[in-house]
Amino acid sequence: MNNQQTTTPAIIGKACKESRVFRTGRVFPNDMNNHKTLFGGKLMSLIDEAASISAMRHCRTNVVTASTDSVDFLRPIHQMDSVCLESFVTYTGTTSIEVFVKVIAENLLSGERVVAATSFITFVSRDSDGTPRPVPQVIPETEEEKLLHEGGSKRSALRKERRVNSKALATKLTTNKYWD
């Protein structure tokens, strides 16, 4: 009789490139704000969508957005621009997945390309019943991936501290309806 133990298989790391997503689109008049630049909320939606695909490619499970850690709007994006989003996983915790999104605006007439925004978004891997699931670690390969990965533990600690502070603040906020 063989007494084999049943163990959970080890989660192996995955290269950043396995989660990389590229998405390019045009800026149309209905995407613009009153300043005649891309509406920030539209860009944030595109960022979350691309990032969620990267997170799922990394862990191959369902994910939920846990935190939009930052969206830094660095340059305006104009109607004659295309918008290219590049996202990939940069850091993981036990069940959390940090995704970096770089937004490049390209003037389609001149060909000039600039980094117009950057963002870090965190997701949590979940199984079909909503229980958090362990995720593979990240294996950075390029200089850019290594640079972003190196700061991951610090960003994770800041995220955890911010979440504790947000929960404490939420206990002091009212849910009264002020419009009555």
Side-chain angles (χ1 to χ4, degrees), residues 83-169:
V83 180
C84 179
L85 289 88
E86 177 185 355
S87 64
F88 55 93
V89 174
T90 53
Y91 187 79
T92 57
T94 304
T95 61
S96 63
I97 305 151
E98 178 190 79
V99 179
F100 174 71
V101 183
K102 176 174 38 176
V103 179
I104 299 169
E106 177 182 354
N107 181 304
L108 293 171
L109 297 177
S110 70
E112 178 188 7
R113 293 170 55 91
V114 296
V115 176
T118 59
S119 181
F120 286 97
I121 300 184
T122 301
F123 296 85
V124 174
S125 170
R126 303 221 178 228
D127 62 21
S128 59
D129 69 357
T131 305
R133 284 187 53 133
V135 297
Q137 295 301 303
V138 176
I139 303 169
E141 297 173 319
T142 69
E143 290 306 310
E144 184 176 66
E145 292 166 356
K146 289 174 184 176
L147 173 71
L148 293 166
H149 181 74
E150 286 171 8
S153 61
K154 183 177 180 181
R155 287 187 301 273
S156 178
L158 290 171
R159 221 177 355 261
K160 288 174 184 173
E161 180 182 345
R162 191 177 64 240
R163 186 166 178 84
V164 167
N165 292 338
S166 290
K167 283 184 175 185
L169 176 62

